Amino acid sequence: MNFLQTLNTKPLIIKAVSVHAERDDGRKTRLLENVSIQLNQGEWVGLVGPNGSGKSTLAMLLAGHPQAAAGGAALFDGSMDRGFAGTEPLPFVTQDPDAAIVGSTPWEDVLLGLEQRAEAGKAASIVIRAEEILRGCGLWDVRHRPVETLSGGQRQLLAAAGCSAFGAPLLVFDEAGAMLDAASRAEVLGGARAIWRSGATVVWISHRLEELEAGDRIIALQQGCVAFDGTAESFFEPESGCGMPVVAYAAELEGGKPTGAYGAKSEVGKPEGMCAAASEGGKTKELYVAPPEGDRRSACERLGYRPPFAVETALALREMGYRLEPLPFSKFYRGKSRYLEVTNNRLFFN
């Protein structure tokens, strides 16, 4: 049984939300600035951005923990309708999985989560659901092992399994694989994908662009503002623009144009290549600050990221007249009539 079927399907909407932290000397530090996004039930969203761009603050808002932002010293403006995510705070997975684990074994931890839900008292359904969750996360074989004997990747998977058992319709993974080796990261990512395929909405925060898949939605933050919101494919495409229009910052208009030039900071600190919301005649309008003529960089490059090697290879082949459709995201790709394999940064193509 998919428990998500009983939840409402209204989108989660954040509208013009700004978050500032107040220092002891009275000064304010911007964490988020005029952020407007909409999350739909069942989406996989990759949240990227440099350190200090506001990713963790946004993660706390999405999971329903605004009081945790800036250590409890944050000031908020704007509105938020949590929609399908509900009104209760949701558990989320961080770099420290032990903070989310309450049982002494995976089996006990998942059962405790299920007993806190409406299924409490239905012993048979709880046991069946616990098995489904543990198998889906790849923890069935270690279900009775003490938590302290599990690997780092297995503990992260257990933290995710606990969120699933809790019934969280939205799961936020905040750099969950940052402290793990490659094999363990792959396990955690696979477990998160399995939970997503079961119907949950997943927000995956990571600097590792190779963890993306075709069709993923990307939201990129820069200096506390939304700098990109669109598909993974458009994130890597040269001259891809900004994805869907988003409200990024408020500025004054001079002759119908934003005051801040592309690549330079305006009076409110606009990062380059962003959308702008500007007021004119009492109405808000959305503008896109286009890159200068001749700048063909993708949104990925303008944000300071390097595309995964498979994507770089495909874009280089495109310049040679070999267009790969769809754009490959991993080292193995099979298109309409060509086969591409990337092994140890060497290309095999026919």
Side-chain angles (χ1 to χ4, degrees), residues 16-342:
V17 168
S18 296
V19 181
H20 295 79
E22 189 169 17
R23 298 179 178 178
D24 293 337
D25 58 7
R27 292 187 300 171
K28 296 179 181 178
T29 300
R30 180 180 67 182
L31 303 177
L32 294 175
E33 184 70 27
N34 208 11
V35 170
S36 294
I37 61 174
Q38 175 177 311
L39 296 187
N40 300 311
Q41 183 186 14
E43 281 192 299
W44 178 283
V45 179
L47 182 59
V48 301
N51 292 333
S53 61
K55 299 189 301 299
S56 291
T57 300
L58 181 56
M60 293 175 187
L61 294 183
L62 294 174
H65 298 272
Q67 74 284 352
L75 304 174
F76 298 87
D77 190 22
S79 63
M80 180 174 179
D81 182 350
R82 292 185 53 76
F84 71 88
T87 59
E88 296 296 323
L90 300 175
F92 61 100
V93 185
T94 66
Q95 296 181 24
D96 179 16
D98 295 334
I101 298 174
V102 295
S104 60
T105 66
W107 180 254
E108 181 180 290
D109 188 78
V110 171
L111 286 179
L112 288 172
L114 290 172
E115 288 172 354
Q116 294 181 37
R117 290 175 43 200
E119 294 179 28
K122 301 178 182 179
S125 64
I126 287 178
V127 170
I128 293 173
R129 182 61 182 150
E131 180 175 350
E132 291 176 349
I133 292 172
L134 290 169
R135 287 190 184 278
C137 292
L139 294 172
W140 180 250
D141 292 340
V142 296
R143 62 191 181 280
H144 296 308
R145 281 180 51 182
V147 168
E148 59 270 19
T149 66
L150 301 179
S151 68
Q154 288 171 331
R155 289 200 297 274
Q156 287 287 28
L157 285 171
L158 180 54
C163 294
S164 183
F166 181 79
L170 170 66
L171 271 68
V172 179
F173 292 80
D174 190 359
E175 298 283 359
M179 306 301 291
L180 304 177
D181 57 38
S184 296
R185 284 197 305 270
E187 286 182 347
V188 175
L189 180 59
R193 291 280 182 183
I195 294 172
W196 167 61
R197 285 190 290 271
S198 75
T201 301
V202 171
V203 176
W204 182 265
I205 304 175
S206 176
H207 291 289
R208 300 179 183 275
L209 300 185
E210 64 272 14
E211 295 172 350
L212 298 175
E213 292 184 1
D216 287 351
R217 176 181 172 189
I218 303 298
I219 297 176
L221 297 182
Q222 190 176 42
Q223 298 180 20
C225 301
V226 176
F228 178 89
D229 187 347
T231 65
E233 290 86 347
S234 63
F235 185 65
F236 295 118
E237 288 284 350
E239 300 180 315
S240 62
C242 193
M244 59 183 288
V246 293
V247 176
Y249 78 108
E252 295 292 329
L253 288 181
E254 293 180 358
K257 297 180 180 180
T259 57
Y262 177 87
K265 291 184 178 180
S266 68
E267 294 180 359
V268 291
K270 174 188 70 63
E272 63 173 71
M274 291 178 59
C275 285
S279 178
E280 185 178 30
K283 296 182 179 180
T284 297
K285 60 185 298 185
E286 292 181 354
L287 303 171
Y288 175 62
V289 185
E293 185 176 355
D295 187 349
R296 299 186 62 251
R297 293 180 300 165
S298 65
C300 169
E301 293 170 311
R302 290 198 298 270
L303 287 166
Y305 284 101
R306 181 175 179 177
F309 184 74
V311 175
E312 283 189 314
T313 301
L315 295 177
L317 287 170
R318 180 182 299 178
E319 297 294 326
M320 300 166 58
Y322 298 96
R323 190 174 184 89
L324 300 181
E325 297 290 353
L327 191 69
F329 283 79
S330 64
K331 65 180 182 179
F332 294 107
Y333 168 81
R334 188 177 297 278
K336 294 180 180 179
S337 60
R338 298 187 176 95
Y339 178 72
L340 168 69
E341 180 181 344
V342 181

